[in-house]
Amino acid sequence: MTDRTIPAVRLGETGPESSVQGLGCMGMSFGYGPADAEQSRATLERALDLGVTLYDTADAYGAGDNERFLAPFFKAHRDEVVIATKFALSIPPDDPGRRIIRNDAPYIRQAVEDSLERLHVDVIDLYYMHRRDVNVPIEETVGVMADLVREGKVKHLGLSEVTAGELRAAHAVHPVAAVQSEWSLFSRDIEAQVVPAARELGVGLVPYSPLGRGFLTGAFTDASKELTDGDFRRSQPRFTGDNATANAALLEPVRQVAEAHGATLGQVALAWVHQRAAVHGLAVVPIPGTRKADRVTENAGAAHLVLTEEELALLEPIAARVAGDRYADMTFTSAGREQ
């Protein structure tokens, strides 16, 4: 029996039809400490039951392990899902902890073949440039990606963490369906230039970390002490020391709104992201990540939660008060390069 509660939307003028909320799958095999494979598989099935059709991964998540893990699920439901994966973070064989950004043609062509093999599919629905190598003209990178579309290996193109100028230059070469960037009550830098450019070009927005990597759920009282050793958030500025304490205090208005609706903090934070679609006039498909089926169910409820103008005004000041950048090194983000 299905319980499809999440509506669909077209991701940009040229993109695929997708559920208005997707699922970030990285944590099922990478980034957030040990994961339970059986629990993660149940989470995938529950998401599909709820109407989630967009599933987001990348070749760099566990050095391909995330794509391999997802492959059986995709095979079982190929006609029901939109598969999104990414290239650009090359992992040196002699140093698996490093990531080297590559946007050159030979790397892209090898990366897509490797992803197709790991995913056990003939075509990738949405293929992203994960990060930007500023030493390679973006027109060249997107030109290679466009060739993959013509060759039938990729259906739609996406870009992650690009500036407004980079998006315009890329879109002039080949239509871009979606831009992926961090966007949440804690992270709003893309609203200055990237979001207006996306609206102008008819490109959809796919916000990653719409729950502030879990911070906006109220799960942490002392994030630096509550995260496991294998959790990459331990090195993120917003989760450490005085920053973590200061940011936890910013959640009080989120609690007030949640209590008024009988909702969770996470649902309020996600509802805020969903309402960016109406505020900015473009398709917005957040991809909250989770490894728990009950959390997917909770997140799905946010797609139907509508915040009032008064509640939105109460939440408005939060981002400007957040302590710490979203990454220790912001040069690899759109905000780090935006002029």
Side-chain angles (χ1 to χ4, degrees):
M1 180 179 178
T2 59
D3 182 21
R4 295 182 180 269
T5 64
I6 298 180
V9 66
R10 183 158 301 282
L11 194 51
E13 291 180 0
T14 64
E17 184 176 275
S18 162
S19 52
V20 297
Q21 187 177 122
L23 180 64
C25 300
M26 179 184 80
M28 294 179 179
S29 54
F30 173 78
Y32 293 117
D36 183 313
E38 184 175 349
Q39 183 184 65
S40 293
R41 283 191 285 270
T43 300
L44 292 167
E45 295 290 347
R46 179 57 178 155
L48 190 63
D49 257 358
L50 291 165
V52 173
T53 61
L54 178 65
Y55 295 82
D56 184 89
T57 182
D59 59 0
Y61 298 161
D65 285 346
N66 200 242
E67 290 180 325
R68 294 186 190 95
F69 171 76
L70 293 168
F73 172 74
F74 290 154
K75 181 179 180 181
H77 302 287
R78 185 64 187 98
D79 294 337
E80 302 172 81
V81 299
V82 177
I83 300 173
T85 192
K86 315 177 195 73
F87 72 88
L89 299 181
S90 174
I91 303 173
D94 58 344
D95 190 357
R98 286 185 65 203
R99 300 289 186 274
I100 299 172
I101 300 177
R102 291 187 60 181
N103 291 173
D104 56 282
Y107 176 75
I108 296 170
R109 290 201 162 275
Q110 186 60 55
V112 75
E113 296 297 340
D114 291 345
S115 285
L116 287 167
E117 181 178 355
R118 286 189 292 262
L119 292 164
H120 294 166
V121 296
D122 296 325
V123 61
I124 294 165
D125 299 314
L126 179 56
Y127 199 42
Y128 287 100
M129 180 189 76
H130 203 163
R131 290 293 185 270
R132 168 95 163 94
D133 178 358
V134 296
N135 296 309
V136 179
I138 198 164
E139 294 87 350
E140 290 185 16
T141 299
V142 177
V144 178
M145 296 171 72
D147 287 341
L148 301 181
V149 175
R150 286 187 283 270
E151 293 163 15
K153 296 174 181 178
V154 171
K155 290 183 180 179
H156 305 282
L157 303 187
L159 303 171
S160 180
E161 290 288 358
V162 291
T163 67
E166 291 164 351
L167 174 57
R168 289 190 175 95
H171 196 75
V173 175
H174 187 279
V176 175
V179 167
Q180 187 172 127
S181 190
E182 188 166 352
W183 199 5
S184 73
L185 280 169
F186 269 15
S187 300
R188 299 180 60 178
D189 50 73
I190 65 167
E191 293 177 20
Q193 298 190 51
V194 177
V195 171
R199 180 181 63 242
E200 167 196 326
L201 298 170
V203 176
L205 254 294
V206 178
Y208 70 82
S209 298
L211 295 172
R213 296 184 174 84
F215 213 123
L216 285 161
T217 67
F220 304 106
T221 55
D222 191 338
S224 59
K225 294 180 180 178
E226 293 166 344
L227 299 171
T228 63
D229 289 342
D231 196 313
F232 87 108
R233 290 173 294 186
R234 290 178 65 89
S235 64
Q236 298 228 305
R238 292 178 179 177
F239 284 83
T240 57
D242 292 342
N243 286 351
T245 302
N247 292 334
L250 296 175
L251 299 181
E252 186 53 36
V254 186
R255 286 192 180 88
Q256 292 179 35
V257 176
E259 289 174 5
H261 286 273
T264 65
L265 275 70
Q267 286 175 326
V268 170
L270 270 176
W272 181 90
V273 176
H274 279 296
Q275 285 183 237
R276 299 304 91 194
V279 171
H280 294 281
L282 74 172
V284 177
V285 179
I287 49 169
T290 184
R291 301 180 290 199
K292 298 179 180 179
D294 59 349
R295 188 69 74 183
V296 165
T297 302
E298 175 188 329
N299 291 344
H304 302 283
L305 176 59
V306 179
L307 308 180
T308 68
E309 291 299 322
E310 292 77 14
E311 289 166 342
L312 292 173
L314 187 64
L315 301 173
E316 181 68 22
I318 292 176
R321 298 172 182 169
V322 172
D325 284 330
R326 49 193 180 97
Y327 290 102
D329 183 355
M330 289 288 286
T331 61
F332 303 114
T333 69
S334 59
R337 298 191 307 278
E338 200 73 75
Q339 299 296 318

